Each structure stands twice: as structure tokens, then as C-alpha cells.
Amino acid sequence: MTQAMLEVKGIDVFYGASQILFGVDLTVEKGQTMALLGRNGAGKSTTFKAIAGIAPPRRGEINLAGVTVSGRKPYRIARAGIGYVPEDRQVFPEHSIEDNLIIGTKKGPNGEDYWTIERIYEVFPILAGMRTRMAGKLSGGEQQMLTIARTLMGNPEILLLDEPSEGLAPIIVQAIGSLIKQLREMGVTILLAEQNMHFCLGIATHATVVDKGQIVYRDTIEGLRANDAIKQRYLAI
Amino acid sequence: MELEALAGCLSSMSCAVTQVSTGLIIGMLLFLVASGLSLIFGVLGVINFAHGSFYMIGAYFAFSAYQLTDSFTLAILSGALGVGIFGMAFERLFMSKVYGRDVLMQLLVCYAFILILDDMVKILYGAEYKLMGMPQTFALPPFQIAGGFIPSYYVFMIGISAVVGLVLWLGIAKTRFGKVVRAAAINPTMVGALGINTTLLYAFVFGVGSMLAGTAGALAAPIRTLTPGMGLSILIESFIVTVIGGMGSIVGAFIAALLIGLTRSFGSMGFPLFVDGMMFGIMALVLILKPSGLLGRPVH
Ligand SMILES: Nc1ncnc2c1ncn2[C@@H]1O[C@H](COP(=O)(O)OP(=O)(O)OP(=O)(O)O)[C@@H](O)[C@H]1O
Ligand SMILES: [Mg+2]
């Protein structure tokens, strides 16, 4: 019996009086790279914020490796092993690259300390060349790399990446894509929110589609690739 | 007439040395108080209008501890730590309830505490002036530099304040904790998402800021008369210092505090009726030329 790494069970999320998510279910197994696909405004970021505890669900629950984490404060959810990388690349602009990494440093929930600054620089050679550069001075792609690296420094059990390709030039998107693939091959469990299906087809192992706050489809990435009806209906631009 | 006295003093080394040392102790006390105010504002985004009262209770804590134990070390420690703990409790129980609210709400909460603390002091110590007296340790002949006399306590006070300021600056600039604190000042949600308990961090920073005010109060106790309400003038001067130096900047607070200290010490000789006017004049000038203060970042 395998236990899911992340289990989102029937969550309803509201912003004030307006309901955004309706009974969202989502499961990610250890080692998977799960794409959460959906159009603009479908509810991807809201799902992530619910998992991270920033927009706590009003109903339903969220489990990490069998332990309920919903209802906890965001910092406790992070310590439990959820590594949330928000969509708008929130680097600390007036800190250097290295200081951003230092701020993200913590042990994993079971004392894991796999990620060190040196290991980060091996995986992110771009960052290694400019350790003392202010994060605010980096390009969008470099900032995206840095936010991912900074969250990895906290040794999460699962990495939540919210639209890492958004607003980046195609060549940078490709670099981010190979980075995510590399992390997947290292065994990192990833949940990846995207509008850009083609980006996900190349790197994800599984896919879940969200539309108007509800889950409408889930399958392997090959299943999605072959399903023109779903692609047409929910993901065509 | 008085300006002549000032010119005379400036041309005599011994007088200048004495006035500079007076300016430095005024400046250092101001620096400690203002840097606490600035730290709290920079990280938590709230203005602790009760900060001057924290300075006052620091002085009274030191006074009582000295009376009880006869130890000046314990007096300083109880002023510093007592007010630090008091500040942390104040943040948890009261200030944290008005975060993100109208600044008038913050003002109201702080003003209530200014009144309560003044009255507490009156009840416990009486309304009249108190003198702590100079500890035996400092009953030494004054230092003599170029013919000017500097009391040994002044030297001690300037040294301690400089060390405290340096530790504060290094702590904020170089340690991981300081980096986290600066990041939390800019993006607390992200800091929380990285696993850091910002609630605790805020309480701690408020405690450190309060401790700086308490330390200043304790250091001032041997050389100032203690009265309820003694926090008011230093609060106003601290505001002037933070405005000149730039809100949130420790180095800015240091430069501005020394500037105000020297203005006071030389001004009281050269233009005694216009010292306050001069301080506000400098502040106005800075506000016109660089609204964010000497070392403050422009507010966006
Ligand atoms: N703070 C907020 N207050 C009110 N409504 C919000 C808020 N944030 C998002 N919404 C609404 O919630 C819905 C879902 O938004 P969400 O950000 O989750 O979508 P998304 O799938 O991430 O879209 P995108 O691809 O544009 O990032 C949208 O209709 C949006 O307008
Ligand atoms: Mg989004």
C-alpha cells in the first residue's frame, strides 16, 4: 500500500464571500511530477495557496504523507515539508542570491539536510557565478531559478511550482523545463501549475485539469497527450 | 553675545573637547532610543509612540535595581532586559492587535500606555524628581584631553553605546537572523512560506527595539534626574533623528543622533533660545532636500 505524498480532499476555498474552489481533490504520489493545468483564472494559484496555508480551505482537508496539515499556519505547513514557490517570483530583492538561499535554509521534516548551498550551485550553475548579486537585479528567468533554489534549501518533501514559465522568453522557459526535469530525475516530488500545456507535456509524469474551480480530468501525461477532446475543451487558448 | 561665547569655545581646544563629549553622550542616548524606534518601524511597520516611556521605565528599573543591589551592572541589565521583556509582552498583548489597522489606533494604544506608565511611576516613586547618583566605580578623576575634561562615566557610556550599536548593526547586516528580519520587513508572507514563524520574529524584534530604549534609560539614570514624563522629550528628539537619518536605517540613526547631540551641546552655548528651533530646522531641511532621510530608502 503506497501512501500519497500529497492528498487534497474536497477543499472549498473562498475569497471573502466568493467561492473559488469547489471540492477540489488532488493526489500526488512520491516521485511524480504532477501538472495542474487550467486556463487563466481556473483556480490553480488558489489551490496552491490553500495547500500552503495562505488561503486556508473552509471545507475539506489536506494531508502530507498521511498527516493532516490543513488548518496549520503557513510556516508550520512549510516545516511539515511543503515547499511553495509562488507565481510572481518573490525573491527578496535587496538581498544577494546567497542571502536569499540562506534565508530559505532549514532541515526537512525528518531532519533531512540534503540541500546545501554548494549542492544548489551544482544544480543551478547560473546562480553560482553571481552569489553576491542583488536578487532584484536578476532577470526574470534567474529570479525564477532563485525562488526554486531558495525553497529547495528548506528540504521540502514536495515542491509546488506555480507557473514557473510565465512571462519568460522561450529559451529561458526551456532552461527552466530542463531544470525541473533534472529535479524530477533526482527524485523530487513536484506539483506544477501551468497554463502552458506544451511546457508540461515535456516534463510532467501526470496531469490534473482544473476548470472554474473544479477538477475535470486526471490521468498520466501520455493519457492527456492522446486526449484531444480534453485539450480542446479546457486547455485550448 | 552668546554666539561670541560659541566662537570663543570653538577656538579653545579645552572648551571644544568638553562640549563635544557632552554632545556625544546626548547623541549616543538618542541613538539608542531612535535606533530601537527605527528598527521596530522598519520591520513591523508600526510606530511605537510609547518608546519614550520605555526609556523612562528603563531608567526607573535601573534606579530600583541599584537601590536594591548596589550593583551598577545589575542596574543596567535590569533596565535593558526588563524593558525588553516588557516590550515583548506589550507587542503580544496589545500592539499585535492593531497591526494593519489605522495608525490612529496604534497611536491610541501607545498613548494609553504613556499615561498608564507615567501614573505607575508616580504611584511607585512619587511625582518628585529622583536621583540615582553616580556609581562608586566611576568616582575617578576625569579624563583630560587637550585641556578639556571628560568625566569617566561619559567615556564608559559612549563606549557601551558604541558597542551596542555595533552589535546591533552587525546582527542585522551579517547574521542569518538579521537577514531573515530584513526579509520579513519586505515580504513577511514569503518569509512565512519558507518556514519562519513571523509572529515570534515580530515579538522578538519589538523586544530588541524596546531593550534599546531601556538600555538608554538605564545608562542615563546616573546623569539625569528621573521624573515621570522624562520620556516625552527624548521621544520627540528620536522622531527628529529617525526622520533625519531615514526610517529603518540604523546607520542613519547614528549619524543623525550625533548631529542632534552636537547641535544641542554647542547650541545651548551659542543660541540657547533656538536649540529646539535649530533641530527642527535641520529636520525641515532634510525633509525638503531628501524626504526619505539621509540614509532612508525612498518610499514607493
Ligand atoms: N485575492 C483575491 N480576491 C478575490 N478573488 C480572487 C483573488 N485571487 C484570485 N481571485 C479569483 O479567483 C479565481 C481563481 O484565481 P487563481 O489565481 O487561482 O487562478 P489561476 O488558475 O492561478 O490563474 P492564472 O493562470 O491567471 O494564474 C479567479 O477568478 C480570480 O479572479
Ligand atoms: Mg495563477
Side-chain angles (χ1 to χ4, degrees):
Chain A
M1 194 184 91
T2 62
Q3 188 172 54
M5 178 62 84
L6 178 70
E7 214 179 2
V8 175
K9 295 209 294 208
I11 58 167
D12 288 354
V13 176
F14 293 72
Y15 284 127
S18 56
Q19 185 166 4
I20 309 294
L21 298 186
F22 301 84
V24 164
D25 288 311
L26 179 68
T27 306
V28 186
E29 308 280 345
K30 191 170 167 56
Q32 285 182 348
T33 295
M34 170 67 76
L36 179 62
L37 288 155
R39 287 203 183 96
N40 202 319
K44 304 179 296 294
S45 296
T46 305
T47 306
F48 274 29
K49 285 180 187 153
I51 298 171
I54 292 165
R58 210 175 275 183
R59 266 185 295 279
E61 66 177 33
I62 296 162
N63 300 323
L64 183 73
V67 178
T68 302
V69 294
S70 41
R72 295 188 190 177
K73 288 194 170 167
Y75 83 91
R76 291 195 56 219
I77 292 179
R79 286 185 191 175
I82 288 184
Y84 168 54
V85 182
E87 68 187 322
D88 26 18
R89 304 191 249 287
Q90 300 180 28
V91 296
F92 301 121
E94 290 166 22
H95 288 69
S96 68
I97 287 186
E98 189 135 319
D99 284 352
N100 268 269
L101 296 176
I102 288 171
I103 293 168
T105 306
K106 68 174 172 61
K107 290 212 164 90
N110 307 306
E112 300 91 341
D113 55 4
Y114 176 83
W115 289 101
T116 58
I117 291 200
E118 291 318 312
R119 206 161 252 154
I120 285 289
Y121 288 144
E122 281 166 28
V123 179
F124 299 78
I126 280 194
L127 301 180
M130 36 190 195
R131 303 173 179 215
T132 55
R133 174 95 48 100
M134 290 289 148
K137 295 243 167 13
L138 302 176
S139 71
E142 291 159 355
Q143 291 194 359
Q144 187 62 59
M145 301 251 183
L146 178 57
T147 50
I148 297 173
R150 183 180 62 186
T151 298
L152 282 174
M153 284 299 291
N155 293 287
E157 300 267 318
I158 180 169
L159 192 60
L160 271 51
L161 302 177
D162 196 352
E163 298 212 48
S165 78
E166 192 185 17
L168 299 178
I171 183 143
I172 311 293
V173 171
Q174 223 170 46
I176 302 267
S178 20
L179 171 73
I180 296 172
K181 236 188 312 199
Q182 186 183 353
L183 293 174
R184 181 186 94 193
E185 278 152 17
M186 292 173 74
V188 180
T189 308
I190 299 169
L191 176 59
L192 170 67
E194 270 295 340
Q195 287 190 52
N196 181 346
M197 176 182 59
H198 295 288
F199 178 71
C200 291
L201 287 177
I203 57 184
T205 58
H206 293 73
T208 298
V209 177
V210 61
D211 190 61
K212 300 196 182 85
Q214 287 177 299
I215 302 297
V216 292
Y217 177 83
R218 55 171 67 82
D219 202 347
T220 61
I221 203 78
E222 290 77 25
L224 176 68
R225 198 195 308 274
N227 193 329
D228 286 331
I230 288 289
K231 285 199 277 192
Q232 210 52 104
R233 184 149 166 217
Y234 297 111
L235 304 172
I237 303 152
Chain B
M1 176 46 190
E2 281 132 345
L3 282 174
E4 271 166 38
L6 178 59
C9 178
L10 284 173
S11 59
S12 125
M13 248 335 233
S14 62
C15 178
V17 164
T18 306
Q19 288 309 109
V20 166
S21 76
T22 310
L24 283 181
I25 61 151
I26 299 173
M28 283 303 201
L29 284 180
L30 258 180
F31 163 64
L32 291 180
V33 177
S35 61
L37 193 68
S38 190
L39 177 71
I40 290 171
F41 177 79
V43 178
L44 286 77
V46 295
I47 295 176
N48 179 21
F49 292 96
H51 208 63
S53 303
F54 288 16
Y55 165 83
M56 172 188 75
I57 59 173
Y60 278 96
F61 278 169
F63 174 83
S64 286
Y66 189 64
Q67 300 258 301
L68 288 173
T69 66
D70 226 18
S71 155
F72 186 58
T73 313
L74 285 182
I76 299 273
L77 283 178
S78 53
L81 297 178
V83 176
I85 292 166
F86 181 84
M88 242 183 282
F90 174 69
E91 191 275 345
R92 275 297 78 216
L93 296 174
F94 301 99
M95 236 16 210
S96 59
K97 307 291 189 278
V98 291
Y99 288 162
R101 299 274 288 278
D102 201 308
V103 71
L104 276 177
M105 282 300 289
Q106 299 168 11
L107 179 64
L108 212 59
V109 169
C110 292
Y111 192 59
F113 267 83
I114 293 175
L115 297 177
I116 292 170
L117 291 173
D118 276 357
D119 281 353
M120 289 293 284
V121 165
K122 279 183 205 148
I123 292 166
L124 292 172
Y125 297 90
E128 69 279 14
Y129 290 72
K130 286 265 181 265
L131 285 174
M132 174 169 146
M134 186 55 62
Q136 268 304 299
T137 333
F138 298 101
L140 302 167
F143 288 77
Q144 203 176 348
I145 298 175
F149 292 100
I150 306 177
S152 62
Y153 184 71
Y154 281 22
V155 176
F156 165 79
M157 227 192 79
I158 292 167
I160 287 280
S161 309
V163 169
V164 169
L166 198 65
V167 168
L168 178 71
W169 179 76
L170 282 175
I172 290 175
K174 305 289 177 198
T175 66
R176 173 172 189 266
F177 185 76
K179 289 166 186 174
V180 170
V181 165
R182 280 183 287 129
I186 291 173
N187 189 344
T189 310
M190 193 63 235
V191 167
L194 292 171
I196 291 148
N197 184 350
T198 46
T199 308
L200 206 63
L201 185 97
Y202 283 170
F204 187 80
V205 168
F206 204 98
V208 171
S210 307
M211 192 166 84
L212 289 164
T215 308
L219 286 172
I223 50 168
R224 295 275 189 270
T225 45
L226 277 59
T227 87
M230 71 187 275
L232 184 63
S233 62
I234 200 150
L235 177 71
I236 291 169
E237 286 173 21
S238 301
F239 278 131
I240 297 176
V241 164
T242 40
V243 169
I244 293 176
M247 270 286 187
S249 166
I250 303 295
V251 179
F254 181 74
I255 295 169
L258 291 191
L259 187 67
I260 292 297
L262 292 172
T263 303
R264 284 200 70 109
S265 101
F266 283 101
S268 63
M269 181 172 264
F271 39 88
L273 299 179
F274 194 62
V275 175
D276 287 343
M278 188 70 167
M279 293 192 313
F280 281 100
I282 296 175
M283 180 177 87
L285 198 67
V286 169
L287 277 177
I288 291 166
L289 297 177
K290 196 162 181 301
S292 53
L294 293 177
L295 292 178
R297 273 180 237 97
V299 186
H300 8 256

